[in-house]
Amino acid sequence: MTERLFEEKQHASLYQKYRFDPPDELKDLIIQYLDKKKGKPHQLAVDLGCGTGQNSRSLTKYFEQVVGIDVSESQVAEARAVSGFPNLSYRVGTAEELPFPDGSVDLLTAASAAHWFDAERFIKEAIRVLKPRGCLALFGYGDSMDIHFESCGDRLNNIYEDVKQILLPYTSSKVNVANSKLKDLFEAIPFPDKERIEIIPVKLQLSIKAVIGYFETFSMYQAYLRADPSAATALLERTTSRESPAEELPFEDGSVDLVTAMSAFHWFDHSRFLQEAHRVLKPHGCLAVLNYTMDMELSYRDCSENLNHICNEFYAALRPFRNPYLGSSSFELYKKTYDSLQYPVKEWQDIFWVKKTVALSGYVGMVESFSAFQALLKKDPEEARRLSQDIEQRLLRAMGATSSETEVIMGVKYFYFLACKPEND
Ligand SMILES: C[S@@+](CC[C@H](N)C(=O)[O-])C[C@H]1O[C@@H](n2cnc3c(N)ncnc32)[C@H](O)[C@@H]1O
């Protein structure tokens, strides 16, 4: 029996939006195969499990007539809503019982769909409707997707693996048929002349929003959504915010009230981020970009001056390890950015002291979390550890204390700018 996992309207509209068109390499390969094996005329192509019609539409320029067939009414309704293809029609129906006379079809395709079919009945039906020397093209992409983005491809792929693991209990066994690249189905096709290609590498450039939208189209995600709507929604939100570059925000135009970046803007592609923040902010929405300087100050009884002298040595030792992308001063970068910001309503604050009581070890840990310290740690772990232990010991001696849990007052100098997106822009 056909598994009905694609029935819902909302799932069909995600399909229309986020499923990929078949790549040109694949289309060319199929048409060339048909030309070689059967030759012209190309009268009728039938696209089985057509979903929202991406593959069906792509066949229209090669055939007099294309028919898309899908068991899901919602998918077919979405497919029909795309106009502009006069030689394309759709029918609700199954791949195992086709509404065509014997020997009438030149090409039968199934894009990411054949794994759902009842293999035996489908093959029988394909043999019946195909013309002599007519062709069958079954293809898909299984789960073999590799995500690349600058140097963080591995991290992104791990996130994709995490999503797959969470969805595993909701994954139909039919998906394994797709992941096996339809091996058994291929073997079961009784045509003497057949070919199986296991990999056609295709690269697509997608936004994070499109990647998440694609995950959302998975039948297992939809099954998870039915079983536990709030957990499924949270999974997508979590996955989006785990890895979404600030320059490519997964939000609609004019949909965000406040965009903040704390100790982060200096790492961004500054102008692309500002453009993106502008895009997503509502009119009168605000931008708050904040940072603090590395040279935090310590106060402890009457020895604060001494302590800050030692702290400054700590900062000076780390300065050569500052990432060159950050330039010599993030303060200047923020100020320059503020000055060039075109919003008429904006304000700049160049010192905003925040004082808090922390254990001395907390202060040292804070400096250790800075990227400059982390760079030194990577380059020379022993030297990094020696430096922070030495500084901590000297601070303790200057304080006349013995425990690194002794509390000090740490003063942090924040600076920031706030800006409000104009109404008419
Ligand atoms: C993963 S979707 C692929 C849709 C489209 N071909 C694409 O590439 O985006 C699989 C589609 O196959 C349809 N389907 C599943 N079993 C079917 C069957 N036995 N006969 C016809 N369609 C079927 C589903 O309703 C769904 O729309």
Side-chain angles (χ1 to χ4, degrees):
M1 205 187 76
T2 302
E3 258 183 272
R4 299 296 191 101
L5 296 175
F6 298 86
E7 301 302 309
E8 280 155 38
K9 277 204 173 95
Q10 148 274 357
H11 190 190
S13 78
L14 288 169
Y15 247 80
Q16 188 67 283
K17 222 163 148 184
Y18 294 117
R19 293 300 279 211
F20 316 130
D21 287 350
D24 289 341
E25 297 92 312
L26 187 60
K27 272 181 290 182
D28 293 347
L29 203 137
I30 293 170
I31 299 301
Q32 280 162 15
Y33 186 83
L34 181 69
D35 280 343
K36 197 164 79 190
K37 302 294 173 186
K38 185 194 150 286
K40 296 215 165 48
H42 295 173
Q43 286 168 315
L44 175 61
V46 176
D47 182 32
L48 303 169
C50 63
T52 47
Q54 279 84 339
N55 184 52
S56 318
R57 290 191 286 276
S58 81
L59 292 170
T60 52
K61 65 174 182 218
Y62 305 102
F63 291 85
E64 288 169 27
Q65 214 198 335
V66 177
V67 180
I69 303 250
D70 201 288
V71 74
S72 157
E73 281 184 29
S74 310
Q75 296 273 347
V76 168
E78 276 286 343
R80 283 188 177 132
V82 181
S83 57
F85 299 89
N87 60 339
L88 171 61
S89 60
Y90 293 99
R91 304 219 192 144
V92 176
T94 70
E96 297 84 358
E97 241 174 278
L98 295 172
F100 303 102
D102 298 0
S104 60
V105 177
D106 294 277
L107 175 70
L108 271 182
T109 58
S112 302
H115 54 290
W116 295 108
F117 305 161
D118 174 326
E120 207 182 312
R121 290 179 54 224
F122 157 64
I123 291 174
K124 247 194 189 155
E125 194 62 347
I127 295 170
R128 183 184 70 74
V129 300
L130 278 173
K131 290 180 181 172
R133 310 200 67 76
C135 296
L136 180 59
L138 311 179
F139 54 92
Y141 32 75
D143 66 350
S144 46
M145 179 171 88
D146 242 353
I147 310 176
H148 300 263
F149 181 75
E150 294 179 356
S151 60
C152 58
D154 287 348
R155 269 160 57 216
L156 296 176
N157 286 312
N158 288 341
I159 291 171
Y160 177 43
E161 285 306 314
D162 289 350
V163 171
K164 282 199 292 190
Q165 280 306 313
I166 292 169
L167 298 181
L168 205 56
Y170 304 91
T171 304
S172 160
S173 59
K174 297 280 180 89
V175 171
N176 295 331
V177 178
N179 292 341
S180 76
K181 300 175 180 138
L182 305 178
K183 185 169 179 294
D184 292 345
L185 185 55
F186 175 74
E187 278 163 15
I189 293 169
F191 300 162
D193 191 351
K194 56 182 182 178
E195 280 178 24
R196 178 160 174 262
I197 299 173
E198 289 208 26
I199 295 184
I200 302 178
V202 173
K203 289 194 175 162
L204 298 173
Q205 191 163 352
L206 300 176
S207 65
I208 293 288
K209 192 172 164 210
V211 173
I212 298 292
Y214 170 62
F215 291 170
E216 214 178 338
T217 68
F218 291 174
S219 59
M220 45 279 203
Y221 177 77
Q222 292 296 320
Y224 187 33
L225 189 66
R226 280 190 292 275
D228 191 344
S230 52
T233 311
L235 171 67
L236 290 190
E237 279 166 10
R238 224 170 44 237
T239 307
T240 304
S241 55
R242 269 177 76 177
E243 298 291 338
S244 177
E247 301 79 2
E248 206 187 283
L249 298 171
F251 305 108
E252 303 293 333
D253 296 2
S255 62
V256 176
D257 293 283
L258 174 67
V259 172
T260 63
M262 164 62 92
S263 297
F265 171 71
H266 41 283
W267 294 106
F268 300 165
D269 177 323
H270 314 123
S271 62
R272 280 184 59 219
F273 162 69
L274 291 171
Q275 265 173 32
E276 190 62 348
H278 180 78
R279 181 186 69 75
V280 301
L281 278 173
K282 294 179 181 169
H284 296 305
C286 292
L287 177 64
V289 180
L290 310 94
N291 197 14
Y292 49 85
T293 58
M294 180 165 97
D295 53 345
M296 297 166 303
E297 294 186 6
L298 297 184
S299 314
Y300 184 76
R301 298 189 182 157
D302 57 355
C303 60
S304 305
E305 204 174 314
N306 256 350
L307 296 186
N308 287 318
H309 184 72
I310 299 167
C311 292
N312 284 335
E313 283 184 38
F314 200 2
Y315 308 138
L318 295 179
R319 209 154 287 133
F321 299 94
R322 186 178 166 83
N323 189 305
Y325 183 71
L326 303 180
S328 57
S329 150
S330 64
F331 182 90
E332 277 166 29
L333 166 73
Y334 281 56
K335 181 71 169 75
K336 250 171 61 192
T337 306
Y338 167 77
D339 288 339
S340 62
L341 210 59
Q342 294 299 310
Y343 293 176
V345 179
K346 59 180 182 176
E347 58 185 71
W348 166 257
Q349 176 72 261
D350 58 11
I351 292 195
F352 181 83
W353 276 103
V354 174
K355 300 205 172 186
K356 48 185 161 192
T357 303
V358 294
L360 183 68
S361 60
Y363 160 76
V364 175
M366 174 97 173
V367 179
E368 283 178 349
S369 75
F370 291 159
S371 60
F373 185 87
Q374 291 299 315
L376 170 60
L377 190 67
K378 215 166 170 186
K379 183 166 178 258
D380 189 345
E382 247 176 60
E383 172 56 18
R385 266 177 235 118
R386 193 206 55 73
L387 175 68
S388 71
Q389 278 164 12
D390 177 55
I391 294 285
E392 189 172 291
Q393 287 309 315
R394 287 173 60 199
L395 288 169
L396 278 173
R397 274 201 301 279
M399 289 157 65
T402 50
S403 164
S404 59
E405 292 314 298
T406 309
E407 289 187 330
V408 292
I409 295 174
M410 179 171 76
V412 185
K413 282 181 271 180
Y414 283 81
F415 53 93
Y416 61 80
F417 61 84
L418 307 174
C420 178
K421 179 176 169 175
E423 169 83 62
N424 297 315
D425 175 72

